[in-house]
Amino acid sequence: MVAKHTLYIVATPIGHRDDVSIRAIDTLKRVDRVLAEDTRHSGSLLRHHGITTPTVSLHEHNEQQRVSSVLDWLKSGESLALISDAGTPLISDPGYRLVNACLEAGVMVSPVPGASAVIAALSVSGLPTDAFRFVGFPPAKSAARERWLSTLKADPHTLVMYESPHRIQASLASMQSVFGPDRPITVARELTKQYETLLHGTIQSVLDRMKADVNQTRGEFVVMVGGSAPVAEGQFELDAVIQVLSPHLPPKTVARCASELVGVPKQEAYRRVLHLAQT
Ligand code: SAM
């Protein structure tokens, strides 16, 4: 069943074309029109599932102009579905302006949930998933990307981002320089498709594997980076002591003095000295 005057936000597969819910197929069959990011691209998925509903394009470049006709269709009693090329609409995909306009106009918006690369990737990342921060695509230019990464460096949550094949290596190189080489990372490539691959390791080790095998730079990527190590109680004091002593003494001496002054084990102080030296 679909309701009149309602816009359904329908998730479609991120690769394997059978990763779509029974309700999504039913909704797409029953609505009056399907708003699709790329009607030709979505055509093959719709045909595969026997969906013959008329499609109308709604993409980044015409979304603003489309909003008023879509609102008219909805107000006249139609039910509509929005889909994107892959996964969940609005997640690094068009639809924000339309959904916002519907809510402002008092029109019902209802989700038909399903695949999204960010969630699929996190579920197999091996990194903490209790809290995470999804940040979309990094900036394309390296200076802007490094500034952007610097603002994320201290975040304790798992960072999740999308990246394209043209920039995956350059992006990992930026992460290596801003976060340091040892942060844990998982790169999920081509999820649910023939060449699905997960690379786990440190930023350095995953970057090395990509450099050694050009195939690892092909396809679609979700990059997940372990959050910054939590700051323990007393850590601020330890860091402050290390920062005062480090310019004047060798690392091992700094660690010994800091350990005595703050009352933490020498090894812990030394690990912190090395960590702060990299940041
Ligand atoms: N709306 C989509 C979603 O819910 O996942 C994301 C759209 S965004 C324009 C496309 C990006 O998602 C790709 O460049 C890639 O970073 C990521 N992505 C999509 N499908 C993927 C897959 N099968 N494997 C890995 N990453 C994927």
Side-chain angles (χ1 to χ4, degrees):
M1 279 297 290
V2 291
K4 286 173 170 289
H5 305 284
T6 302
L7 172 66
Y8 291 92
I9 306 299
V10 180
T12 58
I14 56 167
H16 196 299
R17 61 188 184 175
D18 289 338
D19 288 338
V20 59
S21 75
I22 293 167
R23 184 166 162 249
I25 295 171
D26 188 57
T27 303
L28 293 170
K29 282 184 176 167
R30 288 174 189 269
V31 291
D32 295 292
R33 305 170 213 242
V34 173
L35 310 170
E37 190 181 1
D38 178 340
T39 51
R40 231 175 40 174
H41 172 94
S42 294
S44 72
L45 178 79
L46 298 180
R47 275 192 301 281
H48 174 72
H49 291 289
I51 298 158
T52 55
T53 310
T55 54
V56 178
S57 76
L58 187 140
H59 46 72
E60 202 189 331
H61 306 292
N62 73 354
E63 182 174 352
Q64 194 60 52
Q65 299 96 279
R66 277 269 189 260
V67 166
S68 71
S69 31
V70 172
L71 282 179
D72 288 344
W73 293 330
L74 288 163
K75 284 177 184 163
S76 75
E78 289 195 11
S79 41
L80 305 176
L82 174 69
I83 60 175
S84 60
D85 285 354
T88 301
L90 281 87
I91 307 302
S92 294
D93 264 339
Y96 165 74
R97 281 174 284 200
L98 178 61
V99 167
N100 200 258
C102 286
L103 295 177
E104 280 190 356
V107 170
M108 276 289 291
V109 183
S110 181
V112 181
S116 187
V118 48
I119 300 299
L122 265 173
S123 72
V124 291
S125 68
L127 293 168
T129 51
D130 51 339
F132 62 88
R133 185 163 170 193
F134 173 63
V135 288
F137 285 91
K141 299 226 167 90
S142 74
R145 187 166 55 234
E146 292 188 8
R147 276 197 304 277
W148 179 82
L149 288 169
S150 308
T151 68
L152 303 171
K153 186 176 177 183
D155 195 312
H157 304 119
T158 300
L159 283 176
V160 188
M161 56 197 102
Y162 287 160
E163 193 47 286
S164 75
H166 322 291
R167 284 194 280 273
I168 184 70
Q169 266 202 46
S171 238
L172 290 193
S174 297
M175 287 174 215
Q176 184 184 34
S177 96
V178 176
F179 296 153
D182 298 327
R183 278 252 198 139
I185 190 172
T186 299
V187 175
R189 179 171 80 95
E190 293 286 271
L191 291 173
T192 75
K193 303 190 219 179
Q194 186 179 2
Y195 295 109
E196 176 178 293
T197 316
L198 290 173
L199 295 181
H200 301 276
T202 61
I203 297 180
Q204 172 84 65
S205 69
V206 168
L207 186 56
D208 289 346
R209 280 156 79 185
M210 274 194 188
K211 284 182 183 158
D213 177 4
V214 69
N215 287 325
Q216 296 303 331
T217 62
R218 301 199 164 117
E220 298 195 279
F221 297 89
V222 182
V223 178
M224 292 154 288
V225 186
S228 158
V231 176
E233 216 180 309
Q235 190 77 73
F236 287 118
E237 201 185 343
L238 177 62
D239 286 2
V241 170
I242 292 170
Q243 269 151 358
V244 170
L245 297 179
S246 285
H248 312 290
L249 296 168
K252 285 203 168 136
T253 315
V254 172
R256 204 177 55 243
C257 297
S259 132
E260 281 171 27
L261 285 167
V262 182
V264 297
K266 246 184 266 169
Q267 272 183 338
E268 185 186 327
Y270 189 55
R271 269 200 302 275
R272 199 65 199 157
V273 170
L274 296 183
H275 176 80
L276 291 175
Q278 283 171 4
T279 58

